[in-house]
Every structure is written in C-alpha cells, then in structure tokens.
Amino acid sequence: MKRIYSLVAFAVSVLFFTSCDDFMDVHKEYIEGGEIIYAPKPDSVNFIAGEGRILFNCRTYNAPNVRSVDVYWNDRLDSLIIPVELSTGYDSISVILDNMEEKSYTFNIQTTDNFGHKSLFVTSFGTSYGDTYRATLNDRGIKSLSLSDKEGTIEWYSAPLHLVRNEIRYIKNDGSQTTVKISSIDNLAKLPNVKPGSTFEYRSLYIPEEVAIDTFATAWKEYETPFPTEYKYDRSSWEVLSVSDVSTSEGDSSSITIPGSIDMKGRYLKLLLPDSNREPYTSVAEVYVYGK
C-alpha cells in the first residue's frame, strides 16, 4: 500500500513540474531581461475639432515622474513628444496640434517617465475640418423684413444644426455701417436706426461638432430685398399736449381714441412725436381729426 501511495505522489509531482515548465514557456518572452515596468498611463484624453488643427487634452493621476506625453497618429508615422512636469494627484495639459490635414484621425497616446519606462497606449479619435466642410454650409433662411421709426427687424427661419450665430452688416441713418451678432436661439434680429430703403449683408457661423475650438463662416451675402422705404411710427409713446376749444361742423362728428383715452369730436390735436432719428429731440404735430 505504501508503495502505491509513493508512485501516485511521484506521478503528481512530475505532472506539476511539467505544467510549470509549460507555463513558464508561455511567459518566457515577456520576462526575458527582467520584469517590465510601465509608466503611469494617461487617466483620460480627448481631441477637440478645429480648422486645420486639433486641441489635445490629457489628464493624469499621480504621475510626478512622467517627463513626456507622446502622441502618435497616421500609423505612428507622425508624432508629437510633449515635455511635461506633472504633480501628484490629478494634473492636466492642453496642446494644439497644428497643420493637420482635413480628415479624421486615430491617436495613440503613451507617457515616458524619468527612467525611460513607457506606459501602455491609450487610443482616441479626433477630426480636423477645412474647406471641404465649409463648402457644405448654408445661410440661415430669412422669413421677413419690417421697419419702424426706431429699428429694422429681420425674422429668421429655424436655425440649422450646429449654427452658432448670424452676423448682419447694415447702414444706419447717419450713413455709417455697423455689424450686429444674433445668437442661433433668437428668431428676430433688431437693427437699431437702420436706414429706410437700404440693403444689408449677412452670414452664418457654424461649429462642425457639438464642441469645437473654431467657427466656420459662410461668405458675406447681400439680401436681395431692401428694407421698406416707409414705415409707421410706434405710437406707444405719443402724448396729447393740448386740445383746441374749436369744434367743427364739417364731416362726421364721430369720436376716436388715441393714447391717453381722450375722445375727440372734430378738433385739432397737438401730438408729441418722438423723432428717433434725432434722439432725444421730439417734434410737435397738429392733427385735425375728421372722424373715423
């Protein structure tokens, strides 16, 4: 019986050492020359689109020995080695990659420490935009124009995707040119003191992605329809200065109502008319009311 137990124990030992040899053979190529030491890899990375460039953001954690952050693209044919001095805890860097051809990129990022150890790679993606993207952009549509004594108004159609704002260049009453910027969330553009009958130019500005470092503008374009040459005064600020005691028998003696709720029956009125072209001046007009 003891002999049987001895033979079983011997067989188990042989199998154990044989398995260990096979296990070591699998890992031998990875431990030749000693244990591999890795530098701490980036905690997180991202690439933000731009015009002919891309913004690289990198965040690290507990990497004070890291001396460079290494960025590779185009199958590692192109690279940027970024010298760094990082602190313990969380730290971050931001670097612009310039002169990037308009296309999408796959980036591989690793760190190198003071002892020459490399980290494992982190992979991320980014895109550079240019003239090809700009050629796809269209101006935001204009729905209507209107004019009052104080301002011109442009009503827009709904904003296209990724529109940031519109810019309008127009002529003021004094002949000078000015530019206003209108957010994409606004459907009305107010143009103070616009010259009646004048035309205007406009353009639309976009970003290619939800977050980007550059905007792309369409070419300035003159709108084919000018502002009206005539307009109605805004009567909300009119005041009744005085009312004559003279009545008339001419015409219908109907009553009318003006701001101030004063009924008139065929009388002369003096009205205070704000002159928007010469603020803060006003002018006084005498108006004869005939009826309706």
Side-chain angles (χ1 to χ4, degrees):
M1 183 65 69
K2 290 183 179 180
R3 181 177 178 78
I4 294 175
Y5 284 140
S6 298
L7 290 174
V8 171
F10 176 75
V12 170
S13 299
V14 171
L15 289 174
F16 175 78
F17 286 112
T18 301
S19 298
C20 288
D21 287 342
D22 293 341
F23 179 81
M24 295 303 293
D25 287 341
V26 172
H27 291 81
K28 186 180 298 183
E29 62 177 299
Y30 298 103
I31 62 175
E32 289 182 356
E35 181 183 2
I36 297 177
I37 300 176
Y38 291 102
K41 70 177 182 179
D43 183 69
S44 65
V45 298
N46 64 64
F47 293 84
I48 301 179
E51 183 176 7
R53 59 182 188 163
I54 301 174
L55 173 62
F56 166 55
N57 293 319
C58 177
R59 193 184 192 201
T60 60
Y61 179 71
N62 281 343
N65 290 328
V66 169
R67 72 183 185 196
S68 70
V69 176
D70 314 327
V71 184
Y72 300 89
W73 63 96
N74 288 340
D75 294 326
R76 303 186 191 179
L77 296 177
D78 295 303
S79 63
L80 178 64
I81 309 302
I82 308 166
V84 293
E85 292 183 5
L86 302 172
S87 62
T88 57
Y90 284 107
D91 204 346
S92 62
I93 63 169
S94 295
V95 177
I96 294 287
L97 306 180
D98 285 314
N99 302 316
M100 302 295 287
E101 180 185 354
E102 184 178 8
K103 65 177 184 177
S104 296
Y105 293 86
T106 299
F107 294 98
N108 293 293
I109 307 96
Q110 68 177 179
T111 63
T112 303
D113 67 16
N114 292 322
F115 307 101
H117 302 137
K118 302 285 188 180
S119 73
L120 297 173
F121 278 103
V122 175
T123 301
S124 189
F125 308 93
T127 303
S128 172
Y129 294 87
D131 291 338
T132 300
Y133 168 73
R134 184 180 284 105
T136 67
L137 303 179
N138 295 309
D139 284 301
R140 185 179 185 180
I142 293 177
K143 193 172 184 179
S144 64
L145 301 180
S146 61
L147 182 68
S148 73
D149 55 308
K150 294 182 179 179
E151 62 193 11
T153 301
I154 300 174
E155 183 179 4
W156 304 93
Y157 285 105
S158 299
L161 182 65
H162 293 158
L163 178 74
V164 177
R165 67 178 183 272
N166 282 99
E167 295 180 349
I168 304 104
R169 291 195 303 213
Y170 70 96
I171 305 299
K172 299 174 68 174
N173 282 307
D174 61 6
S176 63
Q177 186 183 73
T178 190
T179 301
V180 297
K181 299 177 181 180
I182 305 299
S183 171
S184 61
I185 64 175
D186 295 325
N187 291 327
L188 296 178
K190 302 291 187 179
L191 312 181
N193 299 318
V194 66
K195 184 177 180 180
S198 64
T199 59
F200 64 92
E201 296 178 305
Y202 67 105
R203 65 177 182 174
S204 301
L205 288 86
Y206 292 82
I207 54 174
E209 299 178 3
E210 289 187 5
V211 178
I213 58 174
D214 294 308
T215 57
F216 291 76
T218 60
W220 284 102
K221 178 181 180 180
E222 183 176 293
Y223 191 60
E224 62 273 12
T225 303
F227 279 102
T229 57
E230 298 179 351
Y231 54 83
K232 292 183 178 180
Y233 272 94
D234 178 3
R235 296 180 296 170
S236 62
S237 60
W238 288 14
E239 300 177 23
V240 177
L241 295 182
S242 63
V243 180
S244 72
D245 291 331
V246 179
S247 61
T248 178
S249 60
E250 297 180 10
D252 188 341
S253 295
S254 311
S255 63
I256 65 169
T257 301
I258 63 172
S261 300
I262 297 178
D263 292 332
M264 302 301 301
K265 296 180 179 179
R267 296 172 180 260
Y268 284 98
L269 308 180
K270 284 187 178 180
L271 302 179
L272 174 66
L273 306 177
D275 188 344
S276 63
N277 298 334
R278 299 186 305 143
E279 294 182 354
Y281 301 105
T282 59
S283 58
V284 176
E286 289 191 1
V287 181
Y288 184 80
V289 180
Y290 283 94
K292 291 184 179 180

